[in-house]
Amino acid sequence: MAAAVRVLFDEGAIARRVSALAAEIAADHGGRPPVIVGIRNGAVPFMMDLLRAFPVSWNSDLVFDFLDATSYAGSCSTGDIRLAGDLVVSVEGREVLVVDGIVDTGRTMAAVLNHLGDSKPSRVRVCTLLDKPSRRRVAVPIVYRGFEVEDLFVVGYGMDLDQRYRGLPYIGVVEESA
Ligand code: 5GP
Ligand code: MG
């Protein structure tokens, strides 16, 4: 039994969507960039491409940081969200953009938003590359969404199956082939 990945979003489609999202975020935030908070590990490739697509005028003032969140064991959400790591940068009084690769049940993002609230940002917006609305259990206000996906377990571009496949430059679904 060999596993093959069926591609849902290839490199070109991802790149075009990331550029469009970056432009939208830039237009909404005016002169000062928001503090970018990525959810490790899944958000990293998406967040790095997003940062590079932001306006050059933001380069000097762009601040980013990470929070660690885990909820999945294999391809099964445990519903038990573990948040680790504290922000090094201060978000007090600042606009914040939380970036993740995928919002599924919404529990991770809800926990992150709740956690960030304690640090008194002036505003928090959510940006996710993928949104799986059919799986939602907790409402999450997503402002920037790359693609909507059906109820499939996806891998690649940061997203893993037991830590594998994160390095794929595209997003797809693992399929067993005989
Ligand atoms: P939630 O808390 O919204 O159920 O799950 C969010 C987190 O679960 C994401 O940050 C991601 O790490 C993981 N996740 C949710 N759906 C998928 C999926 O289809 N594939 C992968 N690889 N991870 C997922
Ligand atoms: Mg994650």
Side-chain angles (χ1 to χ4, degrees):
M1 222 38 163
V5 179
R6 176 166 60 89
V7 178
L8 294 180
F9 305 105
D10 65 19
E11 281 184 78
I14 295 171
R16 285 189 294 277
R17 198 66 196 105
V18 170
S19 301
L21 285 172
E24 215 185 309
I25 292 164
D28 288 352
H29 288 81
R32 193 177 195 201
V35 177
I36 314 292
V37 176
I39 315 298
R40 256 184 323 226
N41 293 323
V44 171
F46 171 47
M47 179 168 150
M48 293 304 103
D49 286 344
L50 197 61
L51 293 179
R52 276 190 285 258
F54 283 147
V56 173
S57 60
W58 276 12
N59 286 356
S60 309
D61 294 323
L62 199 62
V63 169
F64 62 85
D65 207 338
F66 294 95
L67 285 174
D68 296 297
T70 8
S71 70
Y72 265 84
S75 61
C76 175
S77 176
T78 58
D80 164 30
I81 312 300
R82 272 164 296 158
L83 282 188
D86 270 317
L87 294 179
V88 175
V89 305
S90 167
V91 298
E92 193 173 339
R94 294 288 308 268
E95 298 208 5
V96 173
L97 183 74
V98 184
V99 176
D100 203 353
I102 185 160
V103 175
D104 185 45
T105 66
R107 291 192 180 104
T108 302
M109 194 52 83
V112 166
L113 294 176
N114 186 43
H115 178 78
L116 282 173
D118 297 342
S119 308
K120 311 226 176 336
S122 64
R123 175 169 192 167
V124 183
R125 291 179 174 104
V126 173
C127 174
T128 183
L129 181 63
L130 300 178
D131 181 15
K132 246 195 258 179
S134 63
R135 295 255 312 160
R136 200 74 85 251
R137 294 292 175 276
V138 183
V140 170
I142 298 173
V143 181
Y144 308 102
R145 165 190 295 103
F147 303 101
E148 205 174 287
V149 281
E150 30 175 332
D151 185 4
L152 293 168
F153 192 80
V154 299
V155 298
Y157 199 58
M159 286 166 287
D160 72 307
L161 173 58
D162 286 333
Q163 301 304 328
R164 293 190 62 213
Y165 302 109
R166 286 194 201 275
L168 299 180
Y170 49 83
I171 293 167
V173 179
V174 179
E175 289 181 342
E176 300 294 338
S177 52

